[in-house]
């Protein structure tokens, strides 16, 4: 089985849904953010603060390049699509599932979040980031799953049946 890569904006549920899909398919879940934290022995806010976003993006790119192309579910960070080489690698090597909640859904999920450096910006800047990234997500995705009021179960069912169709 080609590895499945979950992409989408912060708070779109990539890790939670990825874990469930990995269980269903009986393969492992790898989270690129967790891999970076383990490798660098530092939290993401610390990496952003001490080394800057640019370094974080370099680490993210290296981690993506090291991901297994078969038999895994990979949950990525929301900004992975910012880099053109990452987009190319996603399209060439993985079955890419875009989790696509509306901005309002994300806003309500991340209302009290303080763990994501790029969620600390002004509301207008977050909205612009969401809009700017949307084209990249859609460009990379084999399938884009809209998320508004659906349950997690429903979203998982949609993804599994799309994977089975191929
Ligand atoms: C980021 C998203 C985060 C994490 C980092 C940067 C982004 O991951 O990689 O804070 O640029 O959108 P999640 O999408 O899992 O929140």
């Amino acid at each position: 089985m080609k590895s499945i890569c979950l992409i989408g904006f912060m708070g779109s549920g990539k890790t939670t849904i990825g874990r469930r899909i990995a269980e269903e398919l009986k393969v492992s879940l790898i989270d690129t953010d967790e891999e970076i934290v383990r490798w660098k022995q530092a939290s993401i806010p610390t990496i952003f603060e001490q080394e800057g976003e640019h370094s974080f993006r370099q680490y993210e790119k290296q981690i993506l390049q090291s991901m297994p192309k078969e038999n895994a579910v990979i949950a990525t960070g929301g900004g992975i699509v910012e880099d053109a080489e990452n987009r190319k690698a996603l399209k060439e090597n993985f079955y890419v599932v875009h989790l696509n909640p509306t901005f309002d859904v994300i806003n309500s999920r991340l209302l009290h979040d303080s763990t994501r450096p790029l969620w600390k910006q002004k509301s207008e800047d977050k909205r612009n980031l969401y809009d700017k990234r949307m084209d990249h997500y859609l460009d990379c995705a084999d399938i884009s799953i809209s998320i508004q009021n659906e349950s997690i179960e429903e979203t998982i069912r949609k993804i599994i049946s799309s994977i089975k169709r191929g």
Side-chain angles (χ1 to χ4, degrees):
M1 177 200 102
K2 206 171 184 182
S3 290
I4 292 151
C5 229
L6 294 172
I7 61 169
F9 203 73
M10 294 171 257
S12 58
K14 293 162 296 205
T15 306
T16 310
I17 290 176
R19 188 170 299 118
R20 291 287 308 278
I21 292 173
E23 272 167 27
E24 293 261 350
L25 299 175
K26 301 189 172 44
V27 297
S28 27
L29 170 77
I30 309 173
D31 182 304
T32 57
D33 283 345
E34 280 174 19
E35 293 301 306
I36 295 170
V37 169
R38 195 164 51 196
W39 171 28
K40 293 295 155 185
Q41 292 289 300
S43 70
I44 290 175
T46 303
I47 296 173
F48 267 74
E49 225 174 272
Q50 297 187 346
E51 302 181 49
E53 180 176 351
H54 181 73
S55 295
F56 176 80
R57 298 293 172 211
Q58 297 301 319
Y59 303 150
E60 187 172 50
K61 187 177 199 154
Q62 282 191 52
I63 288 290
L64 180 64
Q65 284 165 2
S66 73
M67 289 294 107
K69 312 238 176 355
E70 292 194 344
N71 299 326
V73 174
I74 300 156
T76 60
I80 205 150
V81 296
E82 297 261 347
D83 181 276
E85 281 179 43
N86 287 353
R87 296 199 292 275
K88 186 165 178 278
L90 285 166
K91 288 192 265 190
E92 282 178 3
N93 300 320
F94 304 102
Y95 184 76
V96 181
V97 177
H98 173 213
L99 299 182
N100 191 9
T102 61
F103 185 74
D104 289 344
V105 167
I106 288 171
N107 227 347
S108 62
R109 285 185 187 169
L110 297 185
L111 205 56
H112 302 295
D113 183 87
S114 60
T115 63
R116 293 169 168 93
L118 294 181
W119 191 249
K120 290 184 178 160
Q121 330 177 47
K122 283 194 303 205
S123 195
E124 190 192 329
D125 294 338
K126 293 190 275 195
R127 173 88 224 195
N128 289 339
L129 189 64
Y130 176 89
D131 290 340
K132 182 182 89 167
R133 284 181 177 171
M134 186 58 77
D135 287 347
H136 291 326
Y137 293 134
L138 294 174
D139 171 41
C140 294
D142 289 293
I143 178 175
S144 177
I145 310 267
S146 302
I147 299 173
Q148 202 155 13
N149 303 312
E150 298 81 358
S151 65
I152 286 203
E153 302 308 323
E154 210 168 324
T155 303
I156 289 166
R157 266 200 306 280
K158 270 193 211 166
I159 296 172
I160 297 281
S161 61
S162 119
I163 292 167
K164 288 190 174 149
R165 280 198 307 274

